């Protein structure tokens, strides 16, 4: 194939296409712009370096967290995959045998769950529909999935953080993935109903472990969840910017950074 547009013009149109659709594959973009797949890959790498899009395995997606509600779970899982794996391993090391965990939906919390191999007698409560088949079975004593409506694109249930015939639930540790974390806005996410659930999960946890890669720093997503003062530990993959670092210290949040 021959390039049908100057690189700068094609890349601008490519960014617009990805932002409008939310996500796109290399094959789709090659057909759309009548160029080779290698050309598309070079374009995507170039644009990702400039943070105009986010690179995924086999394609690209919008960088802003507001897009994630409409982007398939597997596409989001491919973004910052290595960082999420490292965060998951570090966060799992904070969990002790016999704990009760409450875990929200998302790709980073799923990385935590996968890293719980070797733990024992955990009680786990979650709205993450991907969690049951992913958690090491030897680690679990009891597993409860919160009911409600099913949000297919995110692989989560949406509903009250409670069960029938109970006055409420509590957990040793709430493991929470978020859409944004900022000095002024605290924790935020892209969906109103999920934010309400996450707030209830945080209220249920004696300790709150937030897992977020560094792309979430300085970002305020659509819905505010809570302030940094509700967070016990932040596990991330890079040092936060100065204003966020100061805010975390003022809020007495323990910072665990994996590199």
């Amino acid at each position: 194939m021959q390039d049908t547009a100057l690189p700068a013009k094609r890349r601008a149109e490519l960014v617009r296409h990805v932002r409008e659709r939310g996500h796109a594959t290399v094959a789709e973009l090659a057909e759309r712009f009548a160029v080779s797949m290698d050309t598309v890959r070079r374009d995507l790498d170039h644009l990702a370096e400039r943070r105009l899009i986010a690179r995924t395995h086999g394609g690209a997606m919008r960088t802003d967290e507001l897009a994630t509600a409409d982007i398939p779970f597997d596409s989001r899982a491919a973004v910052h995959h290595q960082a999420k794996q490292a965060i998951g391993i570090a966060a799992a090391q904070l969990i002790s045998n016999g704990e009760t965990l409450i875990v929200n939906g998302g790709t980073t919390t799923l990385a935590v769950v996968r890293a719980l191999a070797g733990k024992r007698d955990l009680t786990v409560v979650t709205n993450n529909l991907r969690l049951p088949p992913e958690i090491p079975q030897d680690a679990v004593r009891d597993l409860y999935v919160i009911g409600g409506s099913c949000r297919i694109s995110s692989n989560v249930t949406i509903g009250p953080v409670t069960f029938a015939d109970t006055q409420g639930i509590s957990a040793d540790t709430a493991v929470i993935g978020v859409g944004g974390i900022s000095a002024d806005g605290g924790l935020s996410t892209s969906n109103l109903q999920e934010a309400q659930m996450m707030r209830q999960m945080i209220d249920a946890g004696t300790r709150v472990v937030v897992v977020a890669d560094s792309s979430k720093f300085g970002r305020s997503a659509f819905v505010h969840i809570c302030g940094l003062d509700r967070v016990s530990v932040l596990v991330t993959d890079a040092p936060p910017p100065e204003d966020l670092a100061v805010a975390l210290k003022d809020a007495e949040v323990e910072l665990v950074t994996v590199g």
Side-chain angles (χ1 to χ4, degrees), residues 41-59:
R41 292 188 186 97
R42 288 193 295 270
D43 285 349
L44 294 182
D45 290 342
H46 174 86
L47 295 168
E49 287 176 1
R50 287 151 181 78
R51 300 193 175 186
L52 297 172
I53 59 168
R55 195 74 162 87
T56 69
H57 179 71

Side-chain angles (χ1 to χ4, degrees), residues 18 20-25 28 54-62 64-79 84 106-108 110 130 151-156 190 194:
V18 171
E20 288 175 353
R21 291 180 55 85
H23 61 97
T25 66
E28 171 193 338
R55 195 74 162 87
T56 69
H57 179 71
M61 62 183 280
R62 280 169 52 180
D64 62 287
E65 192 63 23
L66 295 178
T68 62
D70 301 316
I71 294 172
F73 185 94
D74 291 334
S75 294
R76 287 187 281 126
V79 179
K84 291 174 182 178
T107 56
T108 310
L110 199 60
R130 286 291 187 98
R151 190 157 174 253
I152 298 296
S153 63
S154 298
N155 282 255
V156 296
S190 60
E194 283 193 76

Side-chain angles (χ1 to χ4, degrees), residues 163-236:
F163 296 96
D165 302 321
T166 68
Q167 296 298 313
I169 60 176
S170 60
D172 297 303
T173 303
V175 180
I176 305 294
V178 298
I181 178 167
S182 66
D184 297 330
L187 308 183
S188 59
T189 193
S190 60
N191 182 270
L192 179 60
Q193 288 76 24
E194 283 193 76
Q196 293 169 340
M197 288 192 74
M198 291 160 71
R199 197 174 297 119
Q200 292 177 37
M201 290 178 171
I202 288 169
D203 289 343
T206 301
R207 177 179 62 163
V208 177
V209 176
V210 171
V211 289
D213 66 76
S214 55
S215 71
K216 309 298 175 61
F217 291 164
R219 176 178 293 173
S220 292
F222 176 52
V223 189
H224 172 77
I225 302 168
C226 68
L228 297 176
D229 60 313
R230 302 300 303 276
V231 180
S232 308
V233 185
L234 170 63
V235 185
T236 187

